[in-house]
Amino acid sequence: MTAIPEAVRKRATKLRDEIEQANYRYYVLDEPSIPDSEYDRLFRELQSLESEYPGLVSADSPTQRVGVQPVGGFATAEHATPMLSLDNAFSTEEVAEFDRRVRERLSYDGNVTYSAEPKLDGAAISLTYQDGLLVRGATRGDGTVGEEVTHNVRTIRSIPLRLHGRGFPTVLEVRGEVFMPLAGFEELNRKAREAGTKTFVNPRNAAAGSLRQLDPKFTAERPLDFFAYGVAHGDGPSLAPTHHEILDNLTEWGLRACPERRVVTGVDGCVEFYEELGAQRNSLAYDIDGVVYKVDEIDQQEALGYVSRAPRWALAHKYPAQEQVTTVEAIEWQVGRTGAITPVARLTPVFVGGVTVSNATLHNIDDLRRKDVRVGDTVIVRRAGDVIPEVVSVVGERRPAKTKAVRLPRKCPVCRSDVLRVEGEAVARCTGGLVCAAQRKEALRHFASRRAMDIEGLGAKIIDQLVEQDLVATPADIYNLTVEQLAELDRMGEKSAGNLIEALRNSKETTLPKFLYALGIREVGEATASNLARHFASLESIEAASSEELQDAPDVGPVVAEHIRAFFEQRHNQEVIQKLRSAGVHWPDLQKARADQAGPLDGKTFVLTGTLDGMTRSEAKKRIEALGGKVTGSVSKKTDYLVCGRDPGSKLAKAETFRTEILDEPALVTLLNDEAR
Ligand code: 9MJ
């Protein structure tokens, strides 16, 4: 045997210690210290050292087992067939290598048929059904012994307590993943932030933590879901001969399997599936960290067998990690349009969730304090779906000496006005208003944006220069700009200056809802602006309305009404509006809304998702609004209907969690036609 250099032995010991520590934090405490990507890196390094120096391998090496033994609280549950994990691949070459090994072992020259399925990021679970009755739910634990969590599993609504139909084995052990859909996860964390309690790092930990609650009452309150992905053993009637048919059978017996699965052929089929699903990854309702390929023929699976911790017939092909470690280089405060100041971490750039991230939000001062993020810290950054990258936690073990806790600045970092934090509010604000260049820039960006005044070519870079050179202070000033002034700016020539002037001229013809939205009144988004316009029909009536009268408009509560009042009471704002109108900004007269003659869909809130065939989304919106209904952008408790077209986005899953009524296109058309009568 090759002699093992001392440095290698030391490195292996260090890696084992780090991996063991990470395992403990992950499996026992449900509080991971490092992201999976970092764990995988350490694990692979240890594996590669051990394969180079086999003398390093010891029975207690983390490479020799799946997780850690369960501790306390729950009864232990043995797995008659071990619950294994999966080997990982990070490239097409590694997938090809896997396929080659499979064919070699099977002495098979043709293309292997695989079942390809999303790899869900949750907690693995084993469910035992005896004579169709759910008798045991168990976590994976160390793969051989897990924890008995039957009571908790029974609270998950997508897990049937009794199987449907017939033909299932007398004893059926189903394996699958308990996970938390993203909408539920974000809602849970939002509530935790509001209540000032601890947030979960990611949906997977939230799912694992929820499953291991000692009191099932708490599990029941968590939005958990379940997809089956396999069967361990069955007594009685035998199972189908292929993996995909077994999953189909499970769905006939009332279990859920991920609908995104597909039977594919050879490496090409696998990779095509990987790429297609990768393109949809950000719009799925749940987190996935890769796809899994499984040899579809059960006979072939049996011939291939297992290695110590993973089946030889399956492979996880991972996507770019959604969590990475990096370091915090600075913590800065960003000033928004309404003066809200938000802590932002400037990071050593890191590739996460498919893009390079160098800034991440820290939400607000309370959240920052709770996580205790400091300059110099090693942190976990998460970027999942379309969500803004965020710092989720600090890797405490890696904090350098002499760091300082971050404090809320007393002066605005941009204009030096006082920073004010209203008692009970999470957000701190700069009190500078339009004196503050940051707020001015943000107000102008908002004013010019596509859904507001839609001024093409007036982007952030131009606005920054206009404000910094004192050419523009308020939105009214932009209509006084000349071609000569614009042509002087960086990134501008005569021609683009001329185009911008033309765009400014075009933008003067607008609509009342767009104009109201463009003013940037706090809490007045597009939907509220549109409701106000419809309800009051003219800007003058809105300006003259009392707080009570404003609240007669749909979607306007006392807080929003107060913001509207406060905005119009400012003389300064009145002047800006006056100047805008003098510059020629105008909109068509609206029919006076017949406020007292309620539309048939009055008070009903709709959300649209997916593609409609017979009309565009904006036509649908118009028709709903014409009958008094309201269309908003995201699903909440208050949503009455989700209109669901083809290829719906994550709103569908969210609507399902709120049990919102779902209308397909024909149902919407029927409703609109019926109500229009
Ligand atoms: C997940 N996590 O979605 C397996 N998995 O199969 C799928 N995990 C698995 N399959 C055998 N889809 C062991 C683990």
Side-chain angles (χ1 to χ4, degrees):
M1 198 182 280
T2 352
I4 303 168
E6 192 48 32
V8 171
R9 199 181 283 285
K10 268 201 176 143
R11 179 68 190 151
T13 308
K14 180 150 189 342
L15 287 168
R16 274 180 203 154
D17 287 349
E18 280 204 44
I19 294 169
E20 282 302 332
Q21 171 71 14
N23 271 340
Y24 176 76
R25 294 274 304 257
Y26 179 112
Y27 288 104
V28 181
L29 303 183
D30 291 322
E31 261 178 27
S33 52
I34 54 172
D36 284 4
S37 52
E38 183 75 355
Y39 181 88
D40 287 344
R41 196 178 61 73
L42 300 174
F43 199 90
R44 285 194 153 212
E45 189 183 338
L46 182 59
Q47 268 180 328
S48 107
L49 286 182
E50 287 180 348
S51 80
E52 198 174 336
Y53 301 98
L56 274 179
V57 183
S58 58
D60 67 348
S61 173
T63 56
Q64 304 302 301
R65 61 196 185 111
V66 175
V68 293
Q69 270 162 26
V71 283
F74 296 94
T76 54
E78 280 189 39
H79 300 300
T81 317
M83 283 184 86
L84 301 172
S85 56
L86 295 164
D87 269 340
N88 292 328
F90 295 89
S91 67
T92 307
E93 290 71 44
E94 287 174 303
V95 178
E97 185 53 31
F98 160 76
D99 175 66
R100 196 190 54 69
R101 284 196 307 269
V102 165
R103 282 182 292 120
E104 196 173 274
R105 280 208 170 250
L106 295 174
S107 305
Y108 183 66
D109 254 353
N111 272 328
V112 178
T113 306
Y114 292 101
S115 169
E117 48 200 63
K119 183 171 185 299
L120 293 148
D121 213 3
I125 197 101
S126 146
L127 304 174
T128 308
Y129 287 89
Q130 186 138 26
D131 297 313
L133 197 69
L134 177 66
V135 293
R136 192 185 84 158
T139 63
R140 182 165 72 180
D142 67 359
T144 315
V145 183
E147 290 164 324
E148 208 249 66
V149 289
T150 316
H151 290 296
N152 289 346
V153 158
R154 286 199 177 115
T155 68
I156 301 174
R157 282 194 299 255
S158 50
I159 294 180
L161 301 179
R162 182 179 281 285
L163 295 178
H164 307 178
R166 57 186 70 239
F168 42 77
T170 337
V171 178
L172 175 69
E173 188 188 335
V174 178
R175 296 210 171 147
E177 201 84 354
V178 167
F179 62 98
M180 190 176 286
L182 288 171
F185 168 72
E186 266 149 32
E187 180 72 10
L188 195 67
N189 266 1
R190 197 186 53 73
K191 281 190 195 143
R193 264 198 294 276
E194 253 173 39
T197 56
K198 238 175 88 180
T199 51
F200 284 105
V201 170
N202 55 39
R204 186 200 53 224
N205 282 102
S210 304
L211 258 187
R212 297 176 70 245
Q213 291 292 321
L214 288 173
D215 185 344
K217 186 175 85 202
F218 294 115
T219 311
E221 288 167 1
R222 304 282 171 81
L224 296 175
D225 210 333
F226 172 79
F227 280 150
Y229 54 64
V231 163
H233 79 139
D235 282 351
S238 57
L239 292 158
T242 58
H243 178 76
H244 82 272
E245 288 170 291
I246 293 177
L247 293 192
D248 289 347
N249 286 338
L250 292 182
T251 63
E252 284 153 24
W253 297 331
L255 287 143
R256 298 224 301 151
C258 184
E260 252 68 49
R261 64 189 190 281
R262 191 191 303 166
V263 178
V264 300
T265 314
V267 178
D268 290 349
C270 288
V271 173
E272 193 183 329
F273 178 80
Y274 174 84
E275 278 165 5
E276 278 183 35
L277 198 71
Q280 291 174 41
R281 184 185 187 194
N282 282 351
S283 49
L284 292 175
Y286 41 83
D287 251 6
I288 59 172
D289 60 348
V291 297
V292 187
Y293 312 124
K294 293 177 181 168
V295 171
D296 198 38
E297 294 281 342
I298 302 298
D299 282 352
Q300 290 182 337
Q301 286 189 2
E302 279 167 7
L304 287 160
Y306 301 83
V307 285
S308 62
R309 57 188 287 280
R312 283 206 191 88
W313 42 263
L315 182 73
H317 189 181
K318 295 281 201 88
Y319 288 120
Q322 290 178 317
E323 285 169 17
Q324 286 289 3
V325 287
T326 185
T327 48
V328 177
E329 295 182 349
I331 293 174
E332 290 173 5
W333 297 86
Q334 235 168 32
V335 186
R337 175 163 58 85
T338 58
I341 69 171
T342 309
V344 178
R346 306 284 176 216
L347 307 167
T348 308
V350 62
F351 192 70
V352 47
V355 299
T356 301
V357 167
S358 41
N359 302 306
T361 182
L362 288 157
H363 296 289
N364 56 49
I365 181 71
D366 287 341
D367 211 40
L368 168 60
R369 283 201 188 120
R370 203 156 37 237
K371 290 173 184 163
D372 190 19
V373 182
R374 304 180 181 195
V375 176
D377 268 342
T378 298
V379 290
I380 301 181
V381 187
R382 177 176 159 83
R383 179 187 179 273
D386 298 328
V387 182
I388 304 168
E390 61 167 349
V391 171
V392 287
S393 59
V394 172
V395 183
E397 297 86 340
R398 298 193 193 169
R399 171 166 286 169
K402 294 205 187 123
T403 54
K404 279 207 298 265
V406 175
R407 287 209 292 206
L408 182 69
R410 278 198 292 225
K411 300 279 180 198
C412 169
V414 176
C415 72
R416 314 305 302 163
S417 300
D418 287 344
V419 166
L420 184 74
R421 189 172 172 204
V422 176
E423 197 71 47
E425 265 195 39
V427 183
R429 285 176 207 280
C430 158
T431 52
L434 285 181
V435 168
C436 178
Q439 290 184 55
R440 270 202 322 248
K441 287 178 186 173
E442 289 301 326
L444 285 166
R445 274 179 212 167
H446 174 77
F447 184 81
S449 64
R450 199 170 52 77
R451 312 176 89 108
M453 298 300 280
D454 193 14
I455 307 170
E456 214 183 311
L458 190 57
K461 295 256 159 49
I462 307 288
I463 290 173
D464 288 356
Q465 295 181 66
L466 292 173
V467 171
E468 279 154 25
Q469 298 178 21
D470 262 337
L471 290 169
V472 164
T474 77
D477 300 335
I478 55 177
Y479 290 104
N480 296 331
L481 290 167
T482 62
V483 177
E484 294 72 38
Q485 283 174 318
L486 288 172
E488 294 277 297
L489 302 177
D490 262 6
R491 296 163 190 265
M492 267 282 180
E494 284 287 330
K495 184 153 170 28
S496 20
N499 290 344
L500 182 48
I501 293 287
E502 174 74 17
L504 280 165
R505 192 175 314 126
N506 293 339
S507 75
K508 290 181 189 173
E509 188 170 330
T510 185
T511 64
L512 181 53
K514 279 181 163 240
F515 183 75
L516 276 174
Y517 174 61
L519 291 176
I521 304 168
R522 270 179 70 188
E523 313 260 351
V524 178
E526 268 183 297
T528 308
S530 158
N531 285 333
L532 285 167
R534 208 153 37 82
H535 186 82
F536 288 100
S538 75
L539 184 64
E540 292 73 15
S541 327
I542 300 171
E543 287 172 333
S546 67
S547 180
E548 289 70 33
E549 285 163 343
L550 286 166
Q551 289 176 56
D552 287 341
D555 198 27
V556 176
V559 175
V560 181
E562 231 7 83
H563 287 317
I564 300 170
R565 282 261 29 84
F567 182 90
F568 288 114
E569 270 165 17
Q570 291 273 319
R571 239 212 8 244
H572 163 84
N573 290 332
Q574 288 291 351
E575 279 167 18
V576 171
I577 292 171
Q578 200 41 55
K579 282 191 195 158
L580 285 167
R581 298 187 89 165
S582 314
V585 174
H586 67 282
W587 48 87
D589 272 352
L590 286 178
Q591 290 266 315
K592 177 95 180 103
R594 289 154 297 171
D596 46 358
Q597 193 183 321
L601 294 181
D602 241 354
K604 296 283 183 221
T605 304
F606 292 69
V607 173
L608 308 175
T609 184
T611 313
L612 300 175
D613 293 315
M615 57 184 128
T616 64
R617 294 242 293 250
S618 70
E619 279 163 5
K621 181 164 185 263
K622 277 198 195 118
R623 290 189 60 184
I624 292 166
E625 287 174 349
L627 295 171
K630 192 174 70 181
V631 178
T632 65
S634 61
V635 177
S636 74
K637 283 202 296 283
K638 294 187 189 157
T639 310
D640 296 290
Y641 300 102
L642 179 78
V643 177
C644 185
R646 271 185 295 110
D647 304 325
S650 56
K651 288 173 190 163
L652 178 57
K654 196 159 172 187
E656 280 167 353
T657 54
F658 286 121
R659 298 170 178 269
T660 309
E661 186 167 337
I662 294 170
L663 300 176
D664 58 10
E665 188 172 346
L668 172 68
V669 173
T670 311
L671 180 76
L672 291 173
N673 291 344
D674 286 355
E675 296 298 357
R677 263 187 215 126

